[in-house]
PDB file of all heavy atoms in Angstrom:
ATOM      1  N   ASP A  85     -19.744  86.710  -5.712  1.00 91.00           N
ATOM      2  CA  ASP A  85     -18.686  86.148  -6.591  1.00 91.00           C
ATOM      3  C   ASP A  85     -19.209  85.401  -7.753  1.00 91.00           C
ATOM      4  O   ASP A  85     -18.706  85.462  -8.880  1.00 91.00           O
ATOM      5  CB  ASP A  85     -17.727  85.206  -5.762  1.00 91.00           C
ATOM      6  CG  ASP A  85     -16.959  86.004  -4.694  1.00 91.00           C
ATOM      7  OD1 ASP A  85     -16.626  87.141  -4.931  1.00 91.00           O
ATOM      8  OD2 ASP A  85     -16.715  85.380  -3.648  1.00 91.00           O
ATOM      9  N   ARG A  86     -20.269  84.596  -7.523  1.00 90.00           N
ATOM     10  CA  ARG A  86     -20.910  83.830  -8.563  1.00 90.00           C
ATOM     11  C   ARG A  86     -21.452  84.753  -9.655  1.00 90.00           C
ATOM     12  O   ARG A  86     -21.253  84.490 -10.846  1.00 90.00           O
ATOM     13  CB  ARG A  86     -21.994  82.937  -7.974  1.00 90.00           C
ATOM     14  CG  ARG A  86     -22.216  81.698  -8.678  1.00 90.00           C
ATOM     15  CD  ARG A  86     -23.203  80.748  -7.989  1.00 90.00           C
ATOM     16  NE  ARG A  86     -22.574  79.886  -7.050  1.00 90.00           N
ATOM     17  CZ  ARG A  86     -22.767  79.938  -5.740  1.00 90.00           C
ATOM     18  NH1 ARG A  86     -23.635  80.801  -5.193  1.00 90.00           N
ATOM     19  NH2 ARG A  86     -22.168  79.118  -4.924  1.00 90.00           N
ATOM     20  N   GLU A  87     -22.110  85.817  -9.251  1.00 93.00           N
ATOM     21  CA  GLU A  87     -22.656  86.769 -10.229  1.00 93.00           C
ATOM     22  C   GLU A  87     -21.561  87.453 -11.004  1.00 93.00           C
ATOM     23  O   GLU A  87     -21.660  87.675 -12.234  1.00 93.00           O
ATOM     24  CB  GLU A  87     -23.536  87.817  -9.533  1.00 93.00           C
ATOM     25  CG  GLU A  87     -24.927  87.297  -9.187  1.00 93.00           C
ATOM     26  CD  GLU A  87     -25.679  86.759 -10.347  1.00 93.00           C
ATOM     27  OE1 GLU A  87     -25.698  87.416 -11.416  1.00 93.00           O
ATOM     28  OE2 GLU A  87     -26.217  85.635 -10.210  1.00 93.00           O
ATOM     29  N   ARG A  88     -20.489  87.809 -10.334  1.00 94.00           N
ATOM     30  CA  ARG A  88     -19.335  88.474 -10.981  1.00 94.00           C
ATOM     31  C   ARG A  88     -18.764  87.555 -12.089  1.00 94.00           C
ATOM     32  O   ARG A  88     -18.473  87.941 -13.173  1.00 94.00           O
ATOM     33  CB  ARG A  88     -18.254  88.837  -9.967  1.00 94.00           C
ATOM     34  CG  ARG A  88     -17.120  89.645 -10.540  1.00 94.00           C
ATOM     35  CD  ARG A  88     -16.165  90.084  -9.396  1.00 94.00           C
ATOM     36  NE  ARG A  88     -15.761  89.003  -8.507  1.00 94.00           N
ATOM     37  CZ  ARG A  88     -14.824  88.122  -8.776  1.00 94.00           C
ATOM     38  NH1 ARG A  88     -14.134  88.192  -9.888  1.00 94.00           N
ATOM     39  NH2 ARG A  88     -14.513  87.166  -7.884  1.00 94.00           N
ATOM     40  N   LEU A  89     -18.606  86.226 -11.737  1.00 93.00           N
ATOM     41  CA  LEU A  89     -18.067  85.295 -12.695  1.00 93.00           C
ATOM     42  C   LEU A  89     -19.039  85.065 -13.894  1.00 93.00           C
ATOM     43  O   LEU A  89     -18.627  84.969 -15.047  1.00 93.00           O
ATOM     44  CB  LEU A  89     -17.781  83.923 -12.037  1.00 93.00           C
ATOM     45  CG  LEU A  89     -16.524  83.936 -11.175  1.00 93.00           C
ATOM     46  CD1 LEU A  89     -16.408  82.645 -10.408  1.00 93.00           C
ATOM     47  CD2 LEU A  89     -15.271  84.178 -12.049  1.00 93.00           C
ATOM     48  N   ARG A  90     -20.324  85.045 -13.589  1.00 94.00           N
ATOM     49  CA  ARG A  90     -21.296  84.859 -14.696  1.00 94.00           C
ATOM     50  C   ARG A  90     -21.234  86.026 -15.645  1.00 94.00           C
ATOM     51  O   ARG A  90     -21.340  85.876 -16.837  1.00 94.00           O
ATOM     52  CB  ARG A  90     -22.707  84.729 -14.104  1.00 94.00           C
ATOM     53  CG  ARG A  90     -23.025  83.379 -13.522  1.00 94.00           C
ATOM     54  CD  ARG A  90     -24.491  83.198 -13.162  1.00 94.00           C
ATOM     55  NE  ARG A  90     -24.701  81.895 -12.507  1.00 94.00           N
ATOM     56  CZ  ARG A  90     -25.233  81.753 -11.348  1.00 94.00           C
ATOM     57  NH1 ARG A  90     -25.650  82.783 -10.632  1.00 94.00           N
ATOM     58  NH2 ARG A  90     -25.354  80.548 -10.816  1.00 94.00           N
ATOM     59  N   GLY A  91     -21.117  87.244 -15.042  1.00 95.00           N
ATOM     60  CA  GLY A  91     -20.977  88.459 -15.918  1.00 95.00           C
ATOM     61  C   GLY A  91     -19.722  88.403 -16.782  1.00 95.00           C
ATOM     62  O   GLY A  91     -19.736  88.747 -17.952  1.00 95.00           O
ATOM     63  N   ALA A  92     -18.606  87.957 -16.227  1.00 94.00           N
ATOM     64  CA  ALA A  92     -17.357  87.841 -16.922  1.00 94.00           C
ATOM     65  C   ALA A  92     -17.480  86.834 -18.078  1.00 94.00           C
ATOM     66  O   ALA A  92     -16.973  87.066 -19.183  1.00 94.00           O
ATOM     67  CB  ALA A  92     -16.230  87.494 -16.001  1.00 94.00           C
ATOM     68  N   LEU A  93     -18.145  85.660 -17.800  1.00 94.00           N
ATOM     69  CA  LEU A  93     -18.353  84.681 -18.835  1.00 94.00           C
ATOM     70  C   LEU A  93     -19.227  85.172 -19.927  1.00 94.00           C
ATOM     71  O   LEU A  93     -18.977  84.878 -21.081  1.00 94.00           O
ATOM     72  CB  LEU A  93     -18.900  83.404 -18.215  1.00 94.00           C
ATOM     73  CG  LEU A  93     -17.955  82.546 -17.384  1.00 94.00           C
ATOM     74  CD1 LEU A  93     -18.700  81.423 -16.677  1.00 94.00           C
ATOM     75  CD2 LEU A  93     -16.849  81.946 -18.261  1.00 94.00           C
ATOM     76  N   ALA A  94     -20.252  85.955 -19.574  1.00 95.00           N
ATOM     77  CA  ALA A  94     -21.170  86.524 -20.579  1.00 95.00           C
ATOM     78  C   ALA A  94     -20.378  87.459 -21.497  1.00 95.00           C
ATOM     79  O   ALA A  94     -20.577  87.480 -22.695  1.00 95.00           O
ATOM     80  CB  ALA A  94     -22.365  87.158 -19.892  1.00 95.00           C
ATOM     81  N   ARG A  95     -19.572  88.315 -20.934  1.00 94.00           N
ATOM     82  CA  ARG A  95     -18.774  89.256 -21.711  1.00 94.00           C
ATOM     83  C   ARG A  95     -17.782  88.537 -22.588  1.00 94.00           C
ATOM     84  O   ARG A  95     -17.558  88.953 -23.770  1.00 94.00           O
ATOM     85  CB  ARG A  95     -18.049  90.249 -20.789  1.00 94.00           C
ATOM     86  CG  ARG A  95     -18.948  91.286 -20.113  1.00 94.00           C
ATOM     87  CD  ARG A  95     -18.132  92.397 -19.418  1.00 94.00           C
ATOM     88  NE  ARG A  95     -17.246  91.879 -18.360  1.00 94.00           N
ATOM     89  CZ  ARG A  95     -17.645  91.607 -17.099  1.00 94.00           C
ATOM     90  NH1 ARG A  95     -18.897  91.830 -16.767  1.00 94.00           N
ATOM     91  NH2 ARG A  95     -16.771  91.199 -16.200  1.00 94.00           N
ATOM     92  N   LEU A  96     -17.190  87.444 -22.102  1.00 92.00           N
ATOM     93  CA  LEU A  96     -16.237  86.660 -22.870  1.00 92.00           C
ATOM     94  C   LEU A  96     -16.976  86.013 -24.092  1.00 92.00           C
ATOM     95  O   LEU A  96     -16.441  86.042 -25.179  1.00 92.00           O
ATOM     96  CB  LEU A  96     -15.612  85.617 -22.007  1.00 92.00           C
ATOM     97  CG  LEU A  96     -14.532  84.760 -22.648  1.00 92.00           C
ATOM     98  CD1 LEU A  96     -13.326  85.590 -23.060  1.00 92.00           C
ATOM     99  CD2 LEU A  96     -14.118  83.632 -21.689  1.00 92.00           C
ATOM    100  N   ARG A  97     -18.130  85.454 -23.874  1.00 93.00           N
ATOM    101  CA  ARG A  97     -18.892  84.838 -24.971  1.00 93.00           C
ATOM    102  C   ARG A  97     -19.320  85.881 -25.965  1.00 93.00           C
ATOM    103  O   ARG A  97     -19.311  85.628 -27.151  1.00 93.00           O
ATOM    104  CB  ARG A  97     -20.090  84.152 -24.397  1.00 93.00           C
ATOM    105  CG  ARG A  97     -19.779  82.852 -23.675  1.00 93.00           C
ATOM    106  CD  ARG A  97     -21.025  82.120 -23.232  1.00 93.00           C
ATOM    107  NE  ARG A  97     -20.671  81.009 -22.341  1.00 93.00           N
ATOM    108  CZ  ARG A  97     -21.133  80.832 -21.148  1.00 93.00           C
ATOM    109  NH1 ARG A  97     -22.026  81.624 -20.645  1.00 93.00           N
ATOM    110  NH2 ARG A  97     -20.736  79.816 -20.406  1.00 93.00           N
ATOM    111  N   ALA A  98     -19.668  87.081 -25.507  1.00 92.00           N
ATOM    112  CA  ALA A  98     -20.122  88.121 -26.446  1.00 92.00           C
ATOM    113  C   ALA A  98     -18.922  88.645 -27.268  1.00 92.00           C
ATOM    114  O   ALA A  98     -19.151  89.106 -28.421  1.00 92.00           O
ATOM    115  CB  ALA A  98     -20.726  89.273 -25.656  1.00 92.00           C
ATOM    116  N   ALA A  99     -17.764  88.597 -26.731  1.00 88.00           N
ATOM    117  CA  ALA A  99     -16.578  89.108 -27.432  1.00 88.00           C
ATOM    118  C   ALA A  99     -16.142  88.161 -28.531  1.00 88.00           C
ATOM    119  O   ALA A  99     -15.438  88.544 -29.451  1.00 88.00           O
ATOM    120  CB  ALA A  99     -15.441  89.286 -26.492  1.00 88.00           C
ATOM    121  N   ARG A 100     -16.601  86.962 -28.530  1.00 81.00           N
ATOM    122  CA  ARG A 100     -16.201  85.922 -29.552  1.00 81.00           C
ATOM    123  C   ARG A 100     -16.875  86.225 -30.817  1.00 81.00           C
ATOM    124  O   ARG A 100     -17.408  86.381 -31.610  1.00 81.00           O
ATOM    125  CB  ARG A 100     -16.513  84.553 -29.124  1.00 81.00           C
ATOM    126  CG  ARG A 100     -15.569  84.055 -28.050  1.00 81.00           C
ATOM    127  CD  ARG A 100     -15.863  82.623 -27.705  1.00 81.00           C
ATOM    128  NE  ARG A 100     -15.109  82.204 -26.570  1.00 81.00           N
ATOM    129  CZ  ARG A 100     -15.211  81.030 -26.028  1.00 81.00           C
ATOM    130  NH1 ARG A 100     -16.001  80.142 -26.546  1.00 81.00           N
ATOM    131  NH2 ARG A 100     -14.525  80.709 -25.000  1.00 81.00           N
TER     132      ARG A 100
END
Side-chain angles (χ1 to χ4, degrees):
D85 293 328
R86 211 175 270 114
E87 283 303 314
R88 185 175 50 82
L89 285 173
R90 283 188 185 123
L93 285 172
R95 287 190 301 276
L96 183 64
R97 286 184 190 125
R100 288 185 187 176

